[in-house]
Amino acid sequence: MSAPASEGVPLPEIQIFPERLLMASTTEKLLNRLYDVKNVRQINIQGEGLPAVMKSGPGTGGPVDHPERKKIKVKGKEVELTVQVGRIFVEISDIDHVPQALKDIEAVCKEVLPFGFTLEVGRYNKFRPTTTDYMKGLVK
C-alpha cells in the first residue's frame, strides 16, 4: 500500500516506462538519482520476475542463476533485486509539486536512460485497502 488509509486524496505518481528492461546497474543508478529529486515520497518498481529457484519444468527446485538477480544499493541500503525492472512508479508528496518533479525526473531519465522512455502522471498503485484486503484479513 502506498499511502496510509487516513489520507483522503491519493497522492500523484509519475510512471516511468523505459523502452527496454533495465539491467541491475542501471536500476541502481536510476533509483538513487530519483530519490535525490525533491518531493519524491516513495518509489515502486515493477518488472519481469527473477526467481531464485525453478518453479516448474524438468529443473523444478533447482537454482536459477540469472545474471541480473543481484544485490544493489539504494539510499545506502542493500536490496536484492527480484525483478528485471520494466516500470518505475514515483510517488510525489503533493499535487502542487508534480510539474517541477516531472521536469527533474525527466532530466534524470534523459541522463540514465539514453535508449528512451515515456513519462505519465496519474495514480497507478492502490492507496487504500480494497474489499479483497478486508476479506483476506489484511486489514482490521
Side-chain angles (χ1 to χ4, degrees):
M1 197 156 66
S2 296
S6 62
E7 291 184 18
V9 178
L11 295 173
E13 289 179 318
I14 297 173
Q15 175 186 243
I16 304 168
F17 193 9
E19 289 186 6
R20 64 180 191 187
L21 295 174
L22 304 182
M23 294 178 63
S25 59
T26 306
T27 301
E28 180 178 30
K29 183 190 248 184
L30 181 62
L31 292 177
N32 284 310
R33 293 287 310 277
L34 289 174
Y35 272 116
D36 289 339
V37 173
K38 192 175 179 183
N39 298 307
V40 167
R41 182 171 183 254
Q42 175 177 297
I43 299 175
N44 293 313
I45 59 173
Q46 186 181 64
E48 296 293 320
L50 299 173
V53 253
M54 294 286 277
K55 296 188 182 194
S56 63
T60 302
V64 176
D65 295 322
H66 195 287
E68 293 305 311
R69 187 180 173 99
K70 298 178 180 177
K71 290 188 179 192
I72 62 173
K73 276 197 167 196
V74 180
K75 291 175 55 176
K77 293 182 181 177
E78 204 168 79
V79 178
E80 187 170 4
L81 198 56
T82 59
V83 295
Q84 192 164 11
V85 177
R87 289 187 188 187
I88 302 99
F89 302 97
V90 182
E91 189 175 74
I92 307 302
S93 62
D94 192 287
I95 195 150
D96 297 332
H97 301 300
V98 170
Q100 184 60 48
L102 190 59
K103 287 178 190 174
D104 295 344
I105 288 170
E106 184 175 20
V108 167
C109 289
K110 282 182 179 177
E111 184 180 322
V112 179
L113 307 174
F115 43 81
F117 59 91
T118 57
L119 298 176
E120 292 181 11
V121 177
R123 184 68 208 188
Y124 303 95
N125 295 293
K126 69 180 184 174
F127 60 94
R128 65 176 164 237
T130 63
T131 303
T132 304
D133 292 335
Y134 285 102
M135 292 173 61
K136 289 180 179 177
L138 299 174
V139 180
K140 294 180 183 187

